[in-house]
Amino acid sequence: LGHGVESTPVPQVWQYAIDIRPPAGDLHFMESLRTPRGIDLRVAVHSPRGADTAVVLAPGQGYHMELPILRRAAEEIEAAGMIALRFDWAYQTHGGKPSPELKLEMEDLATALYHARARLGAKHVVLGGKSLGAHLALRRALEDPAIEGLVLLTPPLNDPEDPSIVRHNFDKLRKLEIPRAGAGISAVA
């Protein structure tokens, strides 16, 4: 992919980002990322000079990227010398509600991850999220051994209709072999 980034083959629609890297320096910018289904995601990037670790922050179901927890988390991540990438789910920007089984939101998350690696040059990636974003970050981390850590902000660990869900979600966390490459888990309820 260029810039020393190793990954699986890139879907054609994402290839616009290959070998395009922002200039060095502290960057704060908003942009749109195109998903494989042709929908644009709104993204905010905080990129300190020389950073090679990115934390991708996914929003909650009704909690967009400009609200305090995600904005403040991105500022703290940047202050710690890492790239922070915040985004909104496509349904938040274009109207609607989450997709059945959250398949489209998983694609939105994959698009943001790809961008962090290919365009921003992150060699290490940590996933984070608020509520729904935390749930999908955990799902992705269970599938993707390249995710080196998790930041779970108000993760939905319970289901009022089925108390056994709490145990199931804690069991998922225990299955992860983190820290991966020195990253770790942080859970705030």
Side-chain angles (χ1 to χ4, degrees):
L1 295 178
H3 306 297
V5 177
E6 293 180 301
S7 185
T8 55
V10 179
Q12 181 113 7
V13 72
W14 287 345
Q15 290 183 358
Y16 77 94
I18 295 174
D19 293 325
I20 302 171
R21 187 176 165 139
D26 293 348
L27 299 171
H28 299 160
F29 56 93
M30 298 285 290
E31 63 182 327
S32 291
L33 302 180
R34 177 129 317 151
T35 66
R37 66 187 186 280
I39 302 293
D40 289 334
L41 299 181
R42 197 168 67 102
V43 175
V45 177
H46 306 251
S47 184
R49 185 168 301 161
D52 70 350
T53 298
V55 180
V56 175
L57 296 170
Q61 180 172 342
Y63 197 94
H64 62 79
M65 72 173 173
E66 294 299 334
L67 290 173
I69 289 176
L70 293 178
R71 179 179 282 283
R72 183 77 175 128
E75 291 167 355
E76 292 297 323
I77 289 162
E78 179 185 27
M82 296 177 279
I83 300 164
L85 185 151
R86 300 177 284 138
F87 70 96
D88 283 333
W89 304 117
Y91 75 82
Q92 290 173 319
T93 305
H94 302 286
K97 57 184 181 177
S99 63
E101 300 179 26
L102 304 170
K103 288 181 181 180
L104 298 180
E105 291 69 36
M106 288 296 284
E107 181 182 274
D108 293 351
L109 184 57
T111 300
L113 280 168
Y114 176 79
H115 184 69
R117 290 176 175 135
R119 179 148 192 260
L120 301 176
K123 295 176 184 166
H124 309 282
V125 178
V126 173
L127 268 184
K130 157 97 173 84
S131 192
L132 173 66
H135 170 70
L136 294 183
L138 175 57
R139 265 177 63 179
R140 177 65 188 221
L142 289 166
E143 299 169 359
D144 184 350
I147 302 303
E148 296 183 26
L150 287 171
V151 179
L152 306 177
L153 305 168
T154 66
L157 295 175
N158 66 335
D159 181 335
E161 295 179 23
D162 185 355
S164 68
I165 297 294
V166 173
R167 179 73 183 168
H168 178 69
N169 284 328
F170 278 115
D171 288 344
K172 285 183 191 174
L173 280 170
R174 285 189 191 101
K175 286 182 185 175
L176 283 173
E177 293 182 19
I178 290 182
R180 295 179 182 154
I185 291 179
S186 175
V188 180

